[in-house]
Amino acid sequence: MLKINALKASVEEASILKGLSLTINPGEVHAIMGPNGSGKSTLASVLAGREEYEIEGGSVDFDGADLLDMDATERARAGLFLAFQYPVEIPGVSNINFIRAAVNGKREHEGLEPIKGKAFLDMVKEKAQLVELDGRLRNRSVNEGFSGGEKKRNEIFQMAMLEPKLAILDETDSGLDIDALRIVSDGVNAMRSPERSFLVITHYQRLLDYIVPDFVHVLVDGRIVRSGGKELALELEDKGYDWIKEDIVA
Amino acid sequence: MDAAKPQLMDRPKAEAQHAASEASGAALVSALDAVLGVQADVALDAVPVPHRRVERWKYTPVAAWWKDVLAPDVSTVADAGCEANPVPGLDAYRLVFVNGTFDAAASDLPVHTGVTCMPLSQRGDAKLQDVDAFSPEVSDWFAGLNGRYSQEGLYLRVTQGVELDRPILIHHHTCGAGAFNVLRHDIAVALNASVKIVQWSTATAGADGSVNILTRADVGQGARLHIDKVQDEEGTVRHIAFEDIRQGRASHAEVHTITVRGAWVRNDLAFRINGQGAHAELNGAFLPGEGEFVDNHTTVDHRVAHCTSSENYKGILYGKSTGVFNGKVFVRPDAQQTNAYQQNANILASEKASMNAKPELEIYADDVKCSHGCTVGQFDSDALFYARSRGVGLEAAKAMLVHAFIGDILKGFAVTEVRLEVEHRLAEKHGWDVWNDHPNDDA
Ligand SMILES: Nc1ncnc2c1ncn2[C@@H]1O[C@H](COP(=O)(O)OP(=O)(O)OP(=O)(O)O)[C@@H](O)[C@H]1O
Ligand SMILES: [Mg+2]
């Protein structure tokens, strides 16, 4: 599904990813944890195709294609989805028209006609239920004035609408209350399938109680310094990151 | 008091200082008089041809072509006809003018108690409103031309308390080479009366020459005037339009201008607020494409107390296009408790586009609320990336942002069909598929 090999990336002359490798197979859920500023969101943005980041080395294969050769739109249409750590507000663009444009973009890529009104609204209804997204949010401007938790639900709603092959969730748990965390996790779990993979970025073991990962990786200073099973998350929760950093130095 | 008295709107003095007599094109004017058989009663030579040294024309050069305006091809007639109703589905009265000539067959005048509506040329002895010291004719060369040569247009009188049941659509169409499309609309809306006007300008692909339209409106006490103004001209005509709006007590006047297409467009609006409790609203959007030029000059003159004005202009500039915005707001010494708002926001959609924006507030009263803002920027890169990360194409993502950006301007149109048709034409011009289908917009 995704094969990242020795990826190096920088922004404004500062190198952030310093040779990162990671392989995700179909159906797997990988979690990435790591200290603030270690490069987790940068990895997510680079994979999603944000142009401000300079790729300085390495390769990324997505489903047999060279991911780095595609622009952001093409990556999304090829089945990559990023749930943003900080979802963007777009005043004046209604949430429903936004997601319709997204769905139709994907359909165009697949050689399909734009989706019909009724089919679209049925789909919206079904997917909104999955994350219990308040119906009133559909006609409001994209994320504008949404609470932190509403924004995160909206991200997962969009993911459900677009049915990606690989979903990267960047701190989707931050800002969610306890009930919302469970609802959103249930939504994600409902979408798990042998063909769909997830890369879950989080600071907290709690999310991984709900969305149980197959692998946990620790990202420190632009590199994956340790990988393990889900118990690694528990160990990190217990001990913090210092012992790993010390390990690296040693 | 006298010493502090502002020299408001005293435009000719400044301009006259550099007037060289031969630069006013006097010889060309008298030649044109002869061709058109005009008895000149407007002294044109008092007003010099626009020059870059004059602030109002600083960013709007005309030196290369003003002489062409005075040498039109008068054989250009209304033979190409006019496209059918430019606003499908709009139930409106209609006056069609092709190259300055009234097209009776294509028109549908209101027959309505208390409403006098006819082509200007048929008004007989009915008098037009006065040109006074503050009218554009006395200070602007193009307006002077209009005053001298306009013989046709709309003559409209709405008497006390009458509310016209449908909008009046004035369709200006220009076709052929060397056109000289000069029109004057003279409107008076009496006490508590109300009327909606749509001005729609089109030109054929082969059209060139000039379009010069002056609208003078007297909005009486408690009266309402709403003008939706759409400019969608192909060809290379140069379009200049003046609105000279005079407002009485507790009146309400709005002009909404959208420039969909036009090689060279200048709008010059002046609102004179003469009666207390009046409200003036002027909004506009312009989206010039490659090689196009759009200039919006506005003046809001608060002369009395307790009035409000609200102004909002938005530009999105594509390709190698140029935009100009100049917004004057005068608050005279007597105009206490004025609330004046002005906003001009622009997006440069291309590195080659340029925008010259200048708000000018002159406030001579102390107890007033005036705010203004002016921005020139690019598309929001975070929003673009967010949309693209959902599989929306770059151009479609920009089109969505454009729709959002000018959404408030579009919503200001009084006539829904006009807004929908404008959206359709913009989508067509720019190839914006995502605009075509907004099922929930009106929800
Ligand atoms: N556009 C940018 N300009 C300058 N520095 C940047 C930019 N984007 C990221 N950085 C820097 O790159 C480093 C990694 O940031 P990143 O957002 O990837 O961290 P993170 O691991 O996601 O942190 P957090 O856990 O706080 O979300 C930080 O030092 C950050 O300041
Ligand atoms: Mg982050």
Side-chain angles (χ1 to χ4, degrees):
Chain A
M1 174 73 64
L2 185 77
K3 195 165 185 339
I4 306 172
N5 185 32
L7 184 62
K8 290 186 183 158
S10 65
V11 63
E12 284 163 18
E13 316 268 293
S15 95
I16 313 285
L17 301 183
K18 301 172 179 171
L20 185 148
S21 298
L22 175 68
T23 299
I24 302 179
N25 293 308
E28 289 177 354
V29 175
H30 290 241
I32 290 189
M33 304 181 81
N36 292 133
S38 58
K40 302 181 299 296
S41 294
T42 300
L43 173 64
S45 294
V46 165
L47 292 177
R50 178 129 208 174
E51 279 148 7
E52 281 86 339
Y53 295 91
E54 191 79 44
I55 308 295
E56 296 187 317
S59 65
V60 181
D61 178 289
F62 180 54
D63 226 19
D66 180 359
L67 188 77
L68 301 179
D69 201 32
M70 303 182 216
D71 68 25
T73 302
E74 291 166 338
R75 295 180 197 199
R77 292 181 179 184
L80 188 123
F81 181 88
L82 169 60
F84 283 51
Q85 180 174 1
Y86 303 109
V88 178
E89 300 189 1
I90 314 184
V93 175
S94 82
N95 217 16
I96 194 103
N97 285 334
F98 182 75
I99 193 66
R100 175 198 292 267
V103 167
N104 282 337
K106 181 176 166 230
R107 288 174 68 91
E108 186 189 313
H109 176 73
E110 291 163 354
L112 298 171
E113 289 287 297
I115 191 164
K116 297 266 186 299
K118 169 87 169 66
F120 175 69
L121 292 176
D122 287 348
M123 188 176 174
V124 165
K125 207 169 160 191
E126 180 201 327
K127 305 298 186 186
Q129 254 161 22
L130 198 67
V131 288
E132 298 181 18
L133 186 75
D134 188 332
R136 282 169 302 187
L137 298 180
R138 293 177 209 165
N139 291 318
R140 288 205 357 220
S141 292
V142 178
N143 293 322
E144 193 186 27
F146 287 25
S147 74
E150 286 169 344
K151 285 181 181 170
K152 296 305 176 79
R153 281 190 206 216
N154 198 28
E155 294 293 283
I156 301 305
F157 161 70
Q158 292 179 24
M159 176 183 84
M161 289 293 292
L162 293 169
E163 302 180 328
K165 289 181 192 155
L166 171 68
I168 303 166
L169 311 185
D170 191 356
E171 294 196 27
T172 297
D173 50 339
S174 70
L176 291 178
D177 67 39
I178 298 156
D179 292 333
L181 181 64
R182 185 180 42 74
I183 292 160
V184 166
S185 304
D186 286 349
V188 171
N189 286 330
M191 287 191 65
R192 285 180 75 160
S193 89
E195 291 83 42
R196 184 171 291 131
S197 311
F198 290 86
L199 181 60
V200 180
I201 297 169
T202 184
H203 284 294
Y204 303 106
Q205 142 66 22
R206 160 173 238 126
L207 176 73
L208 304 179
D209 284 339
Y210 291 109
I211 305 173
V212 182
D214 300 300
F215 300 94
V216 174
H217 311 276
V218 182
L219 183 59
V220 176
D221 194 21
R223 254 172 261 159
I224 287 179
V225 295
R226 186 164 301 228
S227 298
K230 59 175 187 279
E231 50 314 316
L232 179 55
L234 287 169
E235 203 175 347
L236 291 170
E237 180 104 327
D238 199 34
K239 300 203 231 166
Y241 292 113
D242 283 350
W243 62 283
I244 293 184
K245 290 183 188 163
E246 279 157 22
D247 271 17
I248 305 166
V249 176
Chain B
M1 191 67 215
D2 256 332
K5 203 173 166 195
Q7 297 292 303
L8 296 166
M9 299 176 74
D10 190 7
R11 308 194 281 201
K13 247 182 223 162
E15 302 196 5
Q17 280 162 3
H18 72 82
S21 68
E22 106 276 9
S24 66
L28 288 165
V29 167
S30 39
L32 187 58
D33 285 352
V35 171
L36 296 174
V38 167
Q39 299 280 329
D41 57 356
V42 178
L44 240 190
D45 45 3
V47 188
V49 175
H51 194 284
R52 286 196 98 135
R53 282 193 300 257
V54 178
E55 180 62 30
R56 287 190 316 125
W57 290 95
K58 190 169 175 184
Y59 300 105
T60 310
V62 303
W65 54 266
W66 66 268
K67 285 196 173 84
D68 301 345
V69 172
L70 295 176
D73 181 351
V74 288
S75 67
T76 295
V77 281
D79 59 355
C82 189
E83 65 179 299
N85 190 345
V87 196
L90 174 63
D91 186 18
Y93 301 112
R94 202 169 156 216
L95 284 89
V96 179
F97 300 95
V98 180
N99 286 0
T101 304
F102 180 61
D103 181 346
S107 299
D108 174 18
L109 299 177
V111 180
H112 193 289
T113 318
V115 176
T116 308
C117 178
M118 61 177 87
L120 206 76
S121 59
Q122 295 172 19
R123 74 185 186 284
D125 292 336
K127 285 191 53 127
L128 298 183
Q129 293 165 81
D130 290 340
V131 172
D132 62 23
F134 295 98
S135 295
E137 286 95 324
V138 299
S139 58
D140 188 287
W141 185 78
F142 285 98
L145 276 191
N146 187 294
R148 192 181 190 93
Y149 296 116
S150 61
Q151 296 176 26
E152 194 52 284
L154 163 77
Y155 177 85
L156 176 67
R157 296 288 178 270
V158 185
T159 51
Q160 181 172 342
V162 171
E163 187 173 331
L164 195 59
D165 57 342
R166 285 186 260 161
I168 299 174
L169 170 69
I170 314 173
H171 185 180
H172 317 121
H173 185 67
T174 310
C175 52
F180 189 61
N181 188 351
V182 183
L183 291 165
R184 149 173 323 221
H185 306 310
D186 198 87
I187 300 168
V189 192
L191 177 74
N192 294 337
S194 152
V195 65
K196 286 178 184 156
I197 308 263
V198 179
Q199 290 198 19
W200 197 291
S201 299
T202 57
T204 54
D208 67 27
S210 66
V211 178
N212 184 326
I213 296 164
L214 189 149
T215 302
R216 177 164 295 122
D218 183 79
V219 190
Q221 184 177 340
R224 296 179 74 89
L225 171 69
H226 195 128
I227 300 179
D228 286 348
K229 194 175 148 195
V230 180
Q231 299 167 321
D232 184 20
E233 291 169 319
E234 294 185 72
T236 55
V237 293
R238 294 178 175 111
H239 183 124
I240 186 156
F242 299 90
E243 272 80 22
D244 179 11
I245 312 248
R246 304 151 178 194
Q247 290 191 245
R249 195 182 179 91
S251 66
H252 183 108
E254 298 187 20
V255 178
H256 301 260
T257 307
I258 183 144
T259 309
V260 175
R261 192 190 312 254
W264 188 96
V265 177
R266 170 149 167 148
N267 294 301
D268 192 325
L269 286 72
F271 283 68
R272 277 186 258 163
I273 308 180
N274 297 317
Q276 295 198 0
H279 176 71
E281 187 147 339
L282 48 163
N283 298 326
F286 47 102
L287 298 89
E290 183 63 39
E292 293 182 339
F293 172 90
V294 182
D295 173 350
N296 284 290
H297 262 67
T298 66
T299 303
V300 178
D301 185 3
H302 282 274
R303 300 169 154 218
V304 295
H306 301 289
C307 293
T308 54
S309 65
S310 171
E311 173 168 14
N312 186 10
Y313 273 78
K314 289 187 171 173
I316 302 159
L317 297 101
Y318 295 90
K320 198 167 183 297
S321 63
T322 307
V324 177
F325 173 80
N326 183 291
K328 286 193 177 68
V329 177
F330 296 120
V331 180
R332 299 198 180 217
D334 290 340
Q336 298 295 354
Q337 310 265 302
T338 291
N339 190 337
Y341 171 83
Q342 183 191 83
Q343 172 72 29
N344 170 231
N346 306 285
I347 292 177
L348 298 178
S350 147
E351 285 176 6
K352 286 177 282 167
S354 67
M355 180 68 208
N356 302 297
K358 190 173 179 201
E360 285 182 59
L361 276 64
E362 291 187 30
I363 299 167
Y364 301 95
D366 45 21
D367 185 14
V368 299
K369 244 169 88 182
C370 296
S371 62
H372 73 102
C374 181
T375 59
V376 180
Q378 270 95 35
F379 283 114
D380 174 353
S381 65
D382 288 334
L384 284 182
F385 175 61
Y386 188 64
R388 296 176 78 199
S389 78
R390 268 63 180 135
V392 179
L394 178 59
E395 292 311 314
K398 286 181 181 172
M400 273 196 303
L401 296 188
V402 169
H403 197 265
F405 183 63
I406 62 170
D408 52 350
I409 308 292
L410 293 170
K411 284 197 188 95
F413 282 97
V415 183
T416 307
E417 290 86 351
V418 169
R419 174 174 65 78
L420 293 174
E421 181 60 21
V422 162
E423 292 190 359
H424 173 72
R425 290 188 184 216
L426 282 172
E428 210 172 51
K429 177 185 179 185
H430 296 278
W432 294 332
D433 294 340
V434 288
W435 275 38
N436 291 334
D437 200 22
H438 290 280
N440 286 280
D441 267 7
D442 298 312

